[in-house]
Amino acid sequence: MFNNTKLRILIGIDDTDNKDSRGTGYLARTMGAEINARNLGTLISITRHQLYVHPEIAYTSQNSSACLEIKTNDFKTLQSFCREFLLLRSAEGSDAGLCIVEPSTIPQSVIEWGKSCKDTVRQKIDAENLASANSIYLEGLTGEKIGIIGSLAAVGLRKSGNDGRFIWMDGKNLRELEGTYSVSELIKKTSIDNIETINGQKPLENELIDVGNWVRPVWKDYKKVFYIEENNHENIKWKAVAKEYIRTIS
């Protein structure tokens, strides 16, 4: 399915943590940095995807998975690295799962799987069967290996173009982006596609935005969208919407 040309790859990971460790998002950023450092590929972005919170589902804190977008010309080496990385770095007692796939090969059934994992209790065997039927690399690596459910969901949700929020993109850990920028500066500094209010109003290029300290563009209609609202400040017209709102839509 893969050849030695430059490919865009999606890497889904889930259930890599325990109650005392850093979360899956942190491990995704660390993995991406290692991929860059080892010249195994180029990290383009990382998205976080919220899954179903239910008493029958074992999760650490929020039940979220992560999806890394990578460009590489060495799929086999990248696959081997990701596998060994999670085996080594996943927390004790975790149930880590890994999914690696070229997005152009992801069928609608996997997109629907991801959507269903947001409101339905799914089973590990069903994830295995779906991945096998579509020749998708999916592997459980630690513990009960139930992380394959969320890792397959992560790539499906990312492929859907309408789920998740960005925690890293274009060379920037978004946790480090804060302060005030003009609209044009913010677009130049990041790869954000659209800046708008929840009602679709778009600011002017020279207007200022207080981005706060929690910049999380969302994945909407295959675009990176940064939501803003009016700001009660004489010179800074806009501010990022509250993180609570972003959490409800991503």
Side-chain angles (χ1 to χ4, degrees):
M1 182 173 63
F2 294 93
N3 55 43
N4 201 37
T5 60
K6 202 77 169 179
L7 293 173
R8 189 165 70 94
I9 300 296
L10 296 182
I11 303 172
I13 65 173
D14 191 30
D15 284 338
T16 64
D17 55 351
N18 63 30
K19 292 182 179 179
D20 299 317
S21 72
R22 301 289 294 270
T24 294
Y26 170 79
L27 202 63
R29 292 192 300 271
T30 305
M31 175 189 281
E34 282 288 313
I35 290 170
N36 280 345
R38 294 169 182 255
N39 294 316
L40 298 175
T42 303
L43 175 62
I44 305 301
S45 65
I46 305 173
T47 43
R48 175 199 184 276
H49 300 273
Q50 180 62 50
L51 305 179
Y52 194 29
V53 175
H54 189 277
E56 292 183 20
I57 299 175
Y59 61 91
T60 305
S61 59
Q62 299 174 332
N63 197 26
S64 65
S65 58
C67 185
L68 298 85
E69 178 189 7
I70 304 287
K71 283 188 176 179
T72 184
N73 58 5
D74 192 349
F75 171 77
K76 289 185 177 180
T77 302
L78 178 66
Q79 179 189 41
S80 178
F81 165 77
C82 291
R83 186 178 186 278
E84 294 304 315
F85 178 91
L86 289 184
L87 283 169
L88 179 65
R89 299 294 294 273
S90 294
E92 182 178 357
S94 67
D95 302 304
L98 173 65
C99 183
I100 307 178
V101 62
E102 186 180 352
S104 63
T105 68
I106 296 175
Q108 186 63 33
S109 58
V110 173
I111 295 174
E112 295 304 320
W113 170 269
K115 292 178 179 178
S116 74
C117 287
K118 297 181 74 67
D119 58 16
T120 306
V121 178
R122 303 307 306 257
Q123 302 301 320
K124 184 173 70 170
I125 185 64
D126 295 324
E128 293 171 337
N129 290 340
L130 181 59
S132 177
N134 291 282
S135 300
I136 293 173
Y137 169 75
L138 179 69
E139 186 177 6
L141 298 172
T142 62
E144 299 296 320
K145 303 178 181 180
I146 57 174
I148 63 172
I149 297 171
S151 57
L152 183 62
V155 300
L157 290 169
R158 178 61 184 266
K159 171 67 174 182
S160 77
N162 274 296
D163 188 88
R165 58 180 180 259
F166 289 85
I167 59 175
W168 196 101
M169 61 187 192
D170 283 352
K172 293 192 178 299
N173 180 350
L174 294 177
R175 289 171 176 260
E176 300 170 356
L177 189 63
E178 58 183 26
T180 301
Y181 301 88
S182 70
V183 171
S184 58
E185 287 173 337
L186 187 58
I187 290 175
K188 185 177 181 179
K189 198 174 185 65
T190 69
S191 62
I192 291 171
D193 297 305
N194 291 335
I195 300 175
E196 60 188 56
T197 69
I198 60 175
N199 296 319
Q201 182 182 355
K202 297 183 183 296
L204 300 177
E205 286 190 0
N206 64 340
E207 290 179 332
L208 298 178
I209 304 171
D210 180 357
V211 302
N213 58 4
W214 201 79
V215 177
R216 296 292 186 273
V218 303
W219 192 223
K220 179 185 177 185
D221 297 331
Y222 297 95
K223 294 185 182 298
K224 306 177 187 75
V225 180
F226 183 57
Y227 283 108
I228 58 174
E229 61 186 358
E230 290 192 11
N231 188 27
N232 187 22
H233 190 283
E234 182 179 355
N235 299 316
I236 305 173
K237 184 173 181 179
W238 305 100
K239 64 179 179 180
V241 297
K243 64 175 67 175
E244 289 76 18
Y245 175 76
I246 295 300
R247 285 171 173 157
T248 65
I249 65 170
S250 63

